[in-house]
Amino acid sequence: MHELIRDITLCILFAWGIGLMAHFSRQPLILAYLIAGFFIGPFGMGWVKSRESISVISELGLIFMLFMIGLEIDLKKIVRAGKVILFAGAGQLLGGCLIGALFFAAIGLALGSGKFDAIYLCVACALSSTVIIVKVLYEKRELDTLPGRITLGILVLQDIFAILFLAVQPSLDNLQISVVLISIARVAVLVATALVLSRYVLPKLFHQIARRPELVLLGALAWCFLIGEIAERLHLSREMGSLVAGVSLSTFPYALDVTAKVTTLRDFFITLFFVALGMTIPIPGLSVIGLALIIAAFTVASRLLTTFTPLYLMKQGLRASLLPAINLAQISEFSLVIIQTGTAANHIATETASAASFAFVVLAVLSTFAMGRSDQIVRGLIGPLKRIGLRDLDHGQGGEAKGEGHEGGHGEIRRIVILGFFRAASALLSQIERQNQSLLEQISVVDFNPLVFRTLSDRGLHVIYGDISNVDTLVHAGIGKAEIIILSVPDFLLVGADNEKLVRHVRALNPTAKVVATADLLADVDDLYAAGADYVTVTRLSDAGELYAVIEAVDAGLLDDKRAEMDNKLSDRREVLP
């Protein structure tokens, strides 16, 4: 017992120390934890030698990590995902697994007779890292963009696929239809039990203890270990049970509160899991390094093929098809979980598991840099892809442009031009439609969102597909002929530019147009006027006026009237981006 406490102390100290170095050098923290584990483990300095300690630390971390992954799976979002995400996710998963199984079997990895290296690797390579992707997209403020939503939707489908694989995994060496059906039946019993209890029992209990944070936390942990133990009795695994516990808990009213309270504990045990995983990685030989590089190269190539292709075939455009493929080009921490379960079941060779871990590390670093520069990478790829014959959404509408956009197929640029289309522009068009519909005929929109392009085109509006941060797009769109140019997208959503740069570009191309820009910060207003804007909107001011009017309505007892007024404004609005 004292040895276990000493080992956990070493894990935390070195994870923190190397984590600080990773933070200051802007490297993924998961990489730091793996290095810390390797350094203090039996293949490094040998300070932690007990296999039992490593096993206990790893299993606890794994249980909590899967519990939290389950809590973050939103089943309602999957139902509302739409055909683009569903088809893209299915194409990526099925295509990745099929190509992976063939590829890894072709290079000589086992595919039967009690060894399933190729199967485990093809599944591992089909999954992407939720931790890395969400962190980078959040920092880039791209979670709410179309490529961001597609990426997150595919991640959720990958998690569900991993759950199904974990259900079948114990029976791989005796994979008969009856065995698979029994495994699925056991999972169904486990899921049904968890969902019934979380729907009809847990809400009442948590309602009673909602004001006692320590009991809420204890209740969540008790639920996690209870479902894990039920899974163990059903001949599944505690890890599988903890994942189901999290998913079932995500559907009930106190899920957000539970997630907030368990997060700190989750981070602690996830750290232990990755440190313990690092302890199991031996010093690699040339064969392990070679296999790791092959796995990493295959992951990137297969992700580009299986993610880009279905999105492109569904006419999402080159940009919206490439960005999710770049975002997803790494191996998931969930993949390491699957590899670990395969090692424990003696389904996969230690050398193969070590190579997968090294491939994870390599891709964790490379994909973080690639995602940070994804827009530059996409711009560099679009030209060559067009030259080899791939068509973008702007193909055949007035001739090929020299830039990424060109004039659309509804005639020349109109008197009013909206550069970039997000929620403010969507609301503006809806307002114009309600108050002065004839004005729509005088408006052109320039944007690279395929949903915006198709929806506006279907409504008969003049829309130009192109990247507004590209000066060639502005030139070939005919910005020089516009009378009013509106920049309604805030800086944090603009890609490759900001409002000040756009104003300068627009003013250089059209000295006489009236330019309306948007400021995120009050300090930006003067800079935008200095750049050449004629009017600058500050959305926080209109928001503040609306909120003050609500306070006045409450004080006057007229909140119902105020709400009716808002309901009237919202009724019958046909917004492109609701």
Side-chain angles (χ1 to χ4, degrees):
M1 182 65 182
H2 290 291
E3 188 176 282
L4 177 60
I5 294 173
R6 181 187 67 84
D7 291 344
I8 290 177
T9 302
L10 285 171
C11 289
I12 296 303
L13 284 174
F14 278 87
W16 181 63
I18 299 178
L20 286 175
M21 289 189 283
H23 170 72
F24 290 123
S25 59
R26 297 187 177 181
Q27 298 300 314
L29 286 178
I30 293 174
L31 174 60
Y33 301 152
L34 290 170
I35 293 173
F38 174 79
F39 184 78
I40 65 176
F43 300 103
M45 299 302 295
W47 294 335
V48 177
K49 297 178 180 178
S50 170
R51 295 287 178 184
E52 186 178 349
S53 292
I54 296 172
S55 177
V56 170
I57 292 169
S58 178
E59 187 170 6
L60 279 173
L62 184 53
I63 286 171
F64 277 99
M65 184 170 73
L66 292 177
F67 180 54
M68 289 304 297
I69 288 175
L71 276 172
E72 292 164 2
I73 293 177
D74 192 332
L75 296 176
K76 293 179 182 177
K77 285 186 178 179
I78 297 170
V79 174
R80 300 194 302 259
K83 66 177 183 179
V84 170
I85 292 175
L86 290 175
F87 281 110
Q92 185 266 311
L93 285 167
L94 297 178
C97 286
L98 179 60
I99 295 171
L102 294 174
F103 174 79
F104 291 120
I107 63 173
L109 294 179
L111 191 59
S113 301
K115 291 293 183 180
F116 304 97
D117 297 58
I119 295 294
Y120 276 91
L121 281 184
C122 80
V123 172
C125 291
L127 305 178
S128 304
S129 172
T130 302
V131 173
I132 294 172
I133 291 171
V134 171
K135 180 178 182 295
V136 176
L137 290 184
Y138 176 80
E139 290 174 350
K140 293 180 69 181
R141 298 190 177 186
E142 292 183 6
L143 286 171
D144 199 31
T145 63
L146 177 65
R149 289 196 300 271
I150 291 173
T151 301
L152 294 180
I154 293 175
L155 280 175
V156 172
L157 294 176
Q158 287 180 355
D159 288 340
I160 292 176
F161 175 77
I163 294 172
L164 295 175
F165 181 78
L166 285 175
V168 175
Q169 176 264 336
S171 307
L172 274 181
D173 49 5
N174 187 26
L175 201 58
Q176 302 173 1
I177 295 297
S178 59
V179 175
V180 173
L181 291 177
I182 290 172
S183 296
I184 293 174
R186 288 170 178 164
V187 174
V189 170
L190 179 66
V191 171
T193 302
L195 288 177
V196 169
L197 290 174
S198 66
R199 177 86 180 267
Y200 298 106
V201 178
L202 290 186
K204 296 177 182 178
L205 289 175
F206 275 81
H207 178 72
Q208 298 297 321
I209 62 174
R211 299 187 179 218
R212 302 293 298 273
E214 65 274 19
L215 284 180
V216 171
L217 175 59
L218 192 59
L221 298 181
W223 173 251
C224 173
F225 284 101
L226 171 65
I227 301 301
E229 200 58 37
I230 293 174
E232 185 74 13
R233 297 300 175 94
L234 288 171
H235 303 288
L236 296 169
S237 68
R238 288 188 178 90
E239 290 80 7
M240 173 93 187
S242 65
L243 187 63
V244 172
V247 173
S248 61
L249 210 57
S250 71
T251 64
F252 94 129
Y254 298 94
L256 187 61
D257 191 40
V258 169
T259 303
K261 288 179 172 60
V262 178
T263 296
T264 303
L265 198 61
R266 180 272 316 259
D267 292 340
F268 174 76
F269 281 103
I270 284 180
T271 300
L272 289 182
F273 169 73
F274 284 111
V275 172
L277 183 64
M279 294 180 199
T280 65
I281 300 175
I283 297 174
L286 290 177
S287 60
V288 171
I289 293 175
L291 181 57
L293 293 177
I294 290 173
I295 293 170
F298 169 79
T299 301
V300 174
S302 65
R303 197 73 87 250
L304 289 172
L305 177 63
T306 60
T307 304
F308 172 81
T309 303
L311 288 171
Y312 179 75
L313 292 176
M314 286 185 287
K315 298 183 179 178
Q316 295 303 299
L318 292 177
R319 183 178 184 277
S321 301
L322 283 168
L323 279 174
I326 294 171
N327 292 341
L328 293 163
Q330 72 285 121
I331 293 176
S332 172
E333 53 279 353
F334 216 152
S335 300
L336 300 182
V337 173
I338 288 172
I339 294 293
Q340 283 288 93
T341 59
T343 304
N346 200 30
H347 285 169
I348 181 172
T350 303
E351 182 179 282
T352 306
S354 298
S357 298
F358 276 107
F360 169 84
V361 171
V362 170
L363 291 175
V365 176
L366 294 180
S367 68
T368 301
F369 286 115
M371 288 179 67
R373 295 159 180 78
S374 58
D375 298 301
Q376 296 96 307
I377 293 172
V378 167
R379 288 193 182 96
L381 290 174
I382 285 178
L385 289 175
K386 284 185 174 182
R387 284 193 288 274
I388 65 173
L390 295 182
R391 299 178 177 181
D392 210 345
L393 295 183
D394 56 8
H395 180 80
Q397 297 187 22
E400 288 295 329
K402 295 178 182 178
E404 289 183 23
H406 55 73
E407 189 169 320
H410 299 285
E412 293 186 352
I413 195 99
R414 307 294 169 83
R415 186 173 72 89
I416 303 171
V417 178
I418 300 175
L419 291 182
F421 195 92
F422 199 57
R423 293 196 178 105
S426 177
L428 172 62
L429 287 189
S430 180
Q431 193 71 19
I432 292 173
E433 188 176 40
R434 290 163 64 93
Q435 293 188 227
N436 184 6
Q437 194 163 5
S438 61
L439 191 60
L440 293 176
E441 299 175 0
Q442 304 176 42
I443 294 177
S444 294
V445 174
V446 183
D447 196 77
F448 53 34
N449 186 325
L451 173 64
V452 168
F453 179 79
R454 284 195 300 272
T455 305
L456 293 181
S457 295
D458 291 344
R459 292 186 184 182
L461 275 79
H462 183 227
V463 55
I464 299 167
Y465 181 84
D467 181 358
I468 62 172
S469 68
N470 188 318
V471 179
D472 285 341
T473 297
L474 304 180
V475 171
H476 293 287
I479 290 297
K481 300 178 183 178
E483 296 178 20
I484 302 173
I485 300 173
I486 299 173
L487 310 174
S488 64
V489 180
D491 282 347
F492 70 85
L493 284 172
L494 286 172
V495 176
D498 55 36
N499 272 273
E500 184 180 348
K501 289 180 181 177
L502 285 176
V503 169
R504 293 187 189 280
H505 290 326
V506 166
R507 184 55 74 202
L509 295 173
N510 191 331
T512 61
K514 300 301 180 184
V515 179
V516 181
T518 299
D520 291 340
L521 306 175
L522 297 179
D524 295 338
V525 175
D526 291 339
D527 293 336
L528 288 169
Y529 280 128
D534 295 289
Y535 187 83
V536 178
T537 64
V538 185
T539 54
R540 69 167 74 176
L541 300 183
S542 56
D543 292 343
E546 179 69 18
L547 291 172
Y548 183 74
V550 171
I551 293 173
E552 287 187 318
V554 172
D555 290 341
L558 299 174
L559 185 60
D560 289 340
D561 294 338
K562 184 69 176 174
R563 177 174 173 174
E565 179 186 338
M566 177 57 71
D567 289 343
N568 184 55
K569 289 180 180 179
L570 295 176
S571 63
D572 302 325
R573 291 182 74 90
R574 292 197 311 151
E575 290 210 23
V576 178
L577 302 174

